[in-house]
Amino acid sequence: QEVTGTHPLQYIIRRRVALLLGHWGDTLKDPSHRAVAYQVIFALLRDTDIAVRVSACEGLLKLVDDVNFYAEHFEVHLVEAVSLLFELMGQAEEVDTKLKCLNVLTIVMTAMQGRI
């Protein structure tokens, strides 16, 4: 509910949620909890605010580059994750943002190994 708010300053909360999901990723051991975290991250990757989208990109990186990451649970989200990251990379103007997206794509592809 906090992620979908329409208040003009709601982007601050959405950005913070993306960062917190990444930081708390190691506590999400239950696959169903991680699935919810992925869905929230993907919703934030579709946001209109570029800062929220970059924060979601960083959050996804931390969720995937984690000891509790299991490729078989993420496999259903793979196409959505890759397409959202490519979309963000294509719309980004800053080279640093493009490199962040590319880094996350690299980590996702490495973590998914032969499932791509």
Side-chain angles (χ1 to χ4, degrees):
Q1 193 175 28
E2 285 80 8
V3 175
T4 60
T6 58
H7 189 275
L9 296 177
Q10 195 75 19
Y11 72 92
I12 297 169
I13 293 174
R14 289 192 304 267
R15 184 169 183 233
R16 205 65 183 135
V17 165
L19 293 173
L20 287 173
L21 278 173
H23 287 295
W24 290 342
D26 59 342
T27 65
L28 300 172
K29 293 176 178 37
D30 184 9
S32 64
H33 293 160
R34 289 185 81 84
V36 171
Y38 296 142
Q39 292 303 320
V40 172
I41 288 288
F42 297 149
L44 294 171
L45 277 168
R46 288 186 202 91
D47 199 272
T48 57
D49 188 285
I50 192 74
V52 172
R53 294 173 73 193
V54 171
S55 296
C57 182
E58 293 171 0
L60 181 60
L61 170 67
K62 291 179 181 177
L63 284 173
V64 173
D65 194 24
D66 182 55
V67 135
N68 295 313
F69 177 79
Y70 295 102
E72 59 273 3
H73 297 275
F74 189 76
E75 194 168 6
V76 296
H77 306 289
L78 181 60
V79 172
E80 184 178 16
V82 170
S83 65
L84 287 169
L85 289 168
F86 269 115
E87 183 180 325
L88 176 57
M89 193 164 52
Q91 294 173 350
E93 295 177 11
E94 298 293 323
V95 174
D96 186 46
T97 304
K98 291 178 187 269
L99 287 174
K100 281 183 185 183
C101 293
L102 189 59
N103 183 39
V104 176
L105 279 167
T106 303
I107 297 295
V108 167
M109 289 180 193
T110 303
M112 294 306 289
Q113 297 168 352
R115 298 168 195 237
I116 295 179

